[in-house]
Amino acid sequence: MKKKIFSGVQPTGNLHLGNYLGAIKNFVSLNNDDKNECIFCVVDLHAITVSQDPAILRENIRETVATFIASGIDPKKSIIFNQSQVSAHSEAAWILSCIARMGWLNRMTQFKEKAGKDKEKASVGLYSYPILMASDILLYDSTHVPVGNDQKQHLELCRDIAQKFNNDFKVEDFFKIPEPLIQKEFSRIMSLKDGSKKMSKSELSDLSRINLTDEEDQIMNKIKKAKTDSLPIPSNVKELNSRPEARNLIGIYSSLTNSTLENALGNFSGKNFSEFKENLSEILIDKITPISNDIKKLLKDKSYLDKTLEDGCEKANKIASKKVKKIHDIIGF
Ligand code: TYM
């Protein structure tokens, strides 16, 4: 049976190494397997849960498509589209918000983190955002959803919503219950400045992340300045796990070289960080610079990027509108 893969990325600029190693790298390998049907969505409706400048948002949507393609996703072998252009997403989100329970949403840790101290001032969209995410996934009968570790709780909510809908309306199997695909050993890339915080596009300091559009010298400088501790590199994973910044850098190395943390440690244990950092910079430059150059090249061809989205939207719309029609029938509209 074909796997139906669905995932989304917000077009909020500064796509970074966390997005790449946590999600996009996995999109590429899933897309390379002809047994899979892949849909990759630029989730612009999710982006407006916090305020956006319209002109910048428009450019960021294109940049996200460019990043998908530059990273190795083939638009001929997948559907790439933006969420706002397929109205079924907004419609299903409303219907599913009548299925999801307040108690379920109140548990979402990402809302608590993003809303910060002043929850009263957060948009309602930021709160109900995981329901829109569930709609994205369920409209396409997705079987597998590749994401970073931070999206795990949202995926569990999506499964709960699907199950409740199927039970409430006695339509067993109408919504497929999707499986998350999360990297096993190292699924959360942390800030280069603080090993306890996720690498994120909203972090003020650009030194905290490697952007996928960074140039060679920026990558070298950021790795040189990345926080470490004063001890040499440990020999075992147990010790590594107690040293967050060291774990993050070794984890990034292991993910880029497709090796285990243990193997990565084997190459460097007992050495100091300066030698390791030189190696890590080289590997990062080898991986990121071609992507960065391709993004810049693709961004010059706006009509190609717009056409890619237009074609993708047409295909996505066909699938999603059929599913919404069935939802209407089930509900009694
Ligand atoms: P977003 O745009 O914040 O991030 C896109 C993807 O990158 C992963 N990611 C990370 N992985 C590891 N370490 C990090 N530091 C890191 N930062 C980001 C995220 O886990 C994600 O996979 N709600 C989603 C987008 C979305 C979606 C969907 C995903 C909307 N609808 C349907 C899957 C299916 C989000 O805001 O991702």
Side-chain angles (χ1 to χ4, degrees):
M1 214 180 71
K2 279 199 165 195
K3 282 189 191 155
K4 292 192 177 178
I5 311 292
F6 185 99
S7 199
V9 174
Q10 291 196 53
T12 36
N14 292 338
L15 286 184
H16 52 72
L17 189 68
N19 299 123
Y20 179 74
L21 294 178
I24 299 173
K25 180 175 165 230
N26 212 1
F27 299 176
V28 176
S29 55
L30 289 161
N31 188 219
N32 284 340
D33 183 340
D34 288 333
K35 286 199 291 298
N36 300 330
E37 275 172 24
C38 296
I39 305 183
F40 301 114
C41 185
V42 181
V43 292
D44 47 7
L45 294 172
H46 276 97
I48 61 162
T49 53
V50 295
S51 87
Q52 300 289 340
D53 174 313
I56 297 177
L57 177 62
R58 201 164 287 128
E59 277 314 300
N60 283 341
I61 292 170
R62 292 192 179 110
E63 189 171 316
T64 310
V65 182
T67 305
F68 284 167
I69 299 173
S71 304
I73 294 173
D74 180 353
K76 293 200 192 75
K77 279 172 59 181
S78 58
I79 298 178
I80 298 177
F81 77 106
N82 55 328
Q83 196 186 25
S84 61
Q85 301 309 299
V86 177
S87 58
H89 290 251
S90 313
E91 201 177 337
W94 172 257
I95 295 171
L96 295 184
S97 73
C98 300
I99 303 294
R101 303 291 95 180
M102 293 285 287
W104 300 355
L105 281 182
N106 286 340
R107 284 200 288 274
M108 295 296 116
T109 52
Q110 195 170 86
F111 173 74
K112 290 177 196 160
E113 278 161 25
K114 286 200 174 168
K117 286 201 183 80
D118 203 353
K119 292 194 181 37
E120 299 287 312
K121 291 223 172 92
S123 73
V124 176
L126 190 66
Y127 178 73
S128 61
Y129 151 132
I131 304 177
L132 177 61
M133 182 164 159
S135 310
D136 301 341
I137 298 166
L138 299 176
L139 279 172
Y140 299 91
D141 295 332
S142 317
T143 58
H144 294 82
V145 182
V147 281
N149 182 292
D150 60 326
Q151 297 299 319
K152 193 168 172 223
Q153 199 184 29
H154 293 161
L155 252 294
E156 281 158 12
L157 181 85
C158 170
R159 290 164 61 94
D160 289 344
I161 293 175
Q163 253 146 4
K164 183 163 172 20
F165 185 97
N166 290 350
N167 288 341
D168 285 359
F169 293 99
K170 302 190 176 45
V171 282
E172 205 187 331
D173 262 2
F174 174 69
F175 281 137
K176 300 284 167 283
I177 312 298
E179 294 292 332
L181 292 177
I182 298 175
Q183 314 274 25
K184 280 202 183 70
E185 206 178 23
F186 188 64
S187 56
R188 187 182 277 252
I189 314 296
M190 309 310 270
S191 155
L192 298 178
K193 291 273 137 205
D194 178 350
S196 68
K197 273 197 191 155
K198 186 178 87 163
M199 183 178 285
S200 137
K201 36 193 154 189
S202 53
E203 177 67 44
L204 278 182
S205 168
D206 196 52
L207 288 175
S208 69
R209 64 181 162 260
I210 305 284
N211 299 309
L212 295 179
T213 47
D214 279 348
E215 309 271 344
E216 236 176 277
D217 51 343
Q218 288 171 297
I219 296 176
M220 238 143 57
N221 184 39
K222 286 177 180 180
I223 293 300
K224 205 188 237 172
K225 294 203 167 130
K227 190 174 167 197
T228 50
D229 51 39
S230 52
L231 300 170
I233 294 176
S235 58
N236 61 72
V237 176
K238 191 162 174 250
E239 191 191 332
L240 185 69
N241 284 343
S242 66
R243 294 167 55 187
E245 282 82 18
R247 185 177 197 279
N248 191 37
L249 292 182
I250 298 281
I252 291 173
Y253 177 93
S254 75
S255 186
L256 285 165
T257 54
N258 296 317
S259 59
T260 59
L261 287 174
E262 246 156 27
N263 281 344
L265 282 178
N267 295 338
F268 295 101
S269 93
K271 297 191 173 149
N272 59 30
F273 276 100
S274 56
E275 185 180 337
F276 167 72
K277 280 180 166 183
E278 268 175 41
N279 251 281
L280 179 60
S281 289
E282 265 173 39
I283 291 172
L284 270 168
I285 288 167
D286 275 357
K287 192 78 221 173
I288 302 300
T289 331
I291 297 178
S292 168
N293 291 340
D294 276 357
I295 294 175
K296 285 167 196 150
K297 226 185 275 162
L298 284 160
L299 280 174
K300 291 195 184 126
D301 194 351
K302 287 187 184 170
S303 57
Y304 168 69
L305 298 173
D306 291 349
K307 181 80 174 71
T308 302
L309 282 176
E310 213 177 290
D311 291 348
C313 285
E314 204 181 309
K315 290 180 195 151
N317 201 25
K318 273 196 191 130
I319 306 171
S321 59
K322 265 193 209 146
K323 192 77 177 175
V324 161
K325 210 158 171 289
K326 288 185 190 157
I327 297 174
H328 280 200
D329 283 346
I330 291 171
I331 291 181
F333 287 163

